[in-house]
Amino acid sequence: MSSPSARPATKAVIPVAGMGTRFLPATKAVPKELLPVVDRPALAYIVEEAARAGLPEVLMVTGRNKGAIEDFFDRTPELEAALEKKGDADRLAEVRASTDVAQVYFVRQGEARGLGHAVLQAAAFVGDEPFAVLLGDDLIDERDHLLEQMLAVQAEHGGSVIALLDVGRENIDKYGAVAVEPRPDAAAASGDEVVLVTGLVEKPPVDEAPSSLAIIGRYVLEPQIFAVLRETAPGRGDEIQLTDALATLVERGRPVHGVVFSGRRYDTGDRLDYLKAVIRLASERDDLGPPLRAWLHEFVADLPAEGASSS
Ligand code: UTP
């Protein structure tokens, strides 16, 4: 086991350069990371999560057609002046908070050559420290402190840490999958299980998957990942896969731990999960929740039985 890293992670990288094909045609003109979850872009929740976890410096890896993301995190003096003039203090505070939450930087990926390639664009920004990667379409409920737990595991054990979710064997071919060994001595503060990752494979056929544990969109990576990414050939889908680079780190004996998440997570790049996120988060809000819940009860009572299960 390597010695824990002397320096804790202070920077977050959010790749947002993907094409968002699952959400076409909406994503022809609007980046999927800006689709509103209630009244805030999915990406705003993710930047807030990074800041809450103690990572106030955020680099977004963007691409063509993603200019609106830079606009969202820029100041809007005209809008702020108009709200001030109208005396709309609440909305003014919300508009300001969305830009003040973190120091946001941007770099371009150039070509969408895969998540590993997107992460590689952050090398100069990150330097020689561990850092977090949060996928721009993967929303973790703010009551579940996944990233904080992962940062704590990284600070204690060094190496890299990935977030895992049991998606069931029948769904594993849509994800990166892992082989793991238990680490009963390393439970996370929340009680989420911590495991040692012994192998990784991107989107394996169901009958070849090493487990039903899928990699989800939070990583805390050691800076050694950049050297490995530089020599990682395009893999699945002809893209440079972060999963392949992590597999190389494991093969070279570097520690990679997994935190098996048991909380609430929404893939906002997936239409059904996106709808679930909007409904759940809106129904729990003080302002919208009471009328929405009342309407949902009526709506559900009138629905024909479908036999579909909910999650
Ligand atoms: P996804 O595979 O979910 O993104 O990548 P995608 O390609 O945009 O989605 P679909 O499948 O076509 O609908 C996970 C994350 O990695 C980023 C995406 O923006 C997303 O946040 N990504 C992916 C990049 O930044 N660059 C890439 O080359 C690929």
Side-chain angles (χ1 to χ4, degrees):
M1 164 125 271
S2 74
S3 60
S5 57
R7 276 182 290 181
T10 59
K11 293 175 180 167
V13 174
I14 307 184
V16 292
M19 287 193 261
T21 47
R22 286 169 296 162
F23 235 119
L24 283 168
T27 44
K28 266 177 80 184
V30 182
K32 68 174 169 182
E33 297 83 5
L34 289 188
L35 293 174
V37 177
V38 192
D39 49 12
R40 282 189 294 153
L43 192 53
Y45 292 85
I46 291 165
V47 173
E48 279 164 27
E49 179 189 336
R52 261 199 320 273
L55 310 172
E57 280 188 82
V58 174
L59 178 75
M60 302 221 178
V61 184
T62 71
R64 268 178 297 285
N65 298 328
K66 301 279 178 162
I69 292 179
E70 297 189 29
D71 290 344
F72 182 81
F73 289 98
D74 202 356
R75 293 306 289 257
T76 45
E78 302 83 6
L79 177 63
E80 289 176 33
L83 290 169
E84 213 159 1
K85 204 165 156 199
K86 277 188 11 192
D88 195 340
D90 289 349
R91 285 207 177 84
L92 181 61
E94 273 173 36
V95 165
R96 285 197 174 137
S98 64
T99 42
D100 292 346
V101 61
Q103 183 68 46
V104 181
Y105 302 88
F106 297 92
V107 67
R108 291 260 184 156
Q109 190 180 2
E111 254 180 288
R113 291 176 59 201
L115 179 58
H117 183 254
V119 170
L120 190 50
Q121 311 313 307
F125 169 80
V126 166
D128 194 25
E129 299 174 7
F131 63 104
V133 174
L134 296 83
L135 297 195
D137 55 358
D138 216 333
L139 219 152
I140 301 293
D141 194 293
E142 68 175 53
R143 293 162 291 189
D144 299 315
H145 304 284
L146 174 61
L147 186 57
E148 284 96 327
Q149 291 178 51
M150 294 172 68
L151 289 164
V153 172
Q154 202 281 334
E156 194 177 344
H157 300 286
S160 300
V161 184
I162 60 180
L164 301 173
L165 185 72
D166 195 331
V167 295
R169 200 158 259 281
E170 66 282 14
N171 297 312
I172 195 69
D173 55 349
K174 300 183 201 71
Y175 295 86
V178 290
V180 298
E181 280 173 10
R183 281 288 315 257
D185 52 318
S190 64
D192 280 350
E193 191 188 357
V194 176
V195 291
L196 185 66
V197 176
T198 56
L200 303 90
V201 52
E202 185 63 26
K203 300 192 175 77
V206 167
D207 53 359
E208 289 170 28
S211 75
S212 56
L213 290 176
I215 306 168
I216 57 168
R218 297 294 179 272
Y219 306 77
V220 182
L221 300 173
E222 59 178 345
Q224 285 86 335
I225 194 82
F226 295 121
V228 176
L229 281 169
R230 277 187 201 104
E231 62 189 48
T232 300
R236 176 120 199 153
D238 208 24
E239 294 192 337
I240 296 174
Q241 298 288 354
L242 184 57
T243 305
D244 293 346
L246 282 160
T248 303
L249 281 180
V250 169
E251 278 160 25
R252 292 182 184 169
R254 298 297 305 159
V256 176
H257 287 90
V259 174
V260 184
F261 184 54
S262 56
R264 291 149 284 204
R265 172 248 179 192
Y266 313 95
D267 174 1
T268 60
D270 173 81
R271 291 166 305 168
L272 184 59
D273 241 26
Y274 170 81
L275 291 170
K276 288 181 188 175
V278 173
I279 293 169
R280 179 178 278 183
L281 296 182
S283 71
E284 291 171 352
R285 287 239 313 228
D286 290 341
D287 52 352
L288 298 165
L292 179 62
R293 288 196 299 270
W295 178 81
L296 276 173
H297 277 294
E298 274 174 44
F299 181 69
V300 170
D302 286 346
L303 278 182
E306 202 75 58
S309 65
S310 66
S311 63

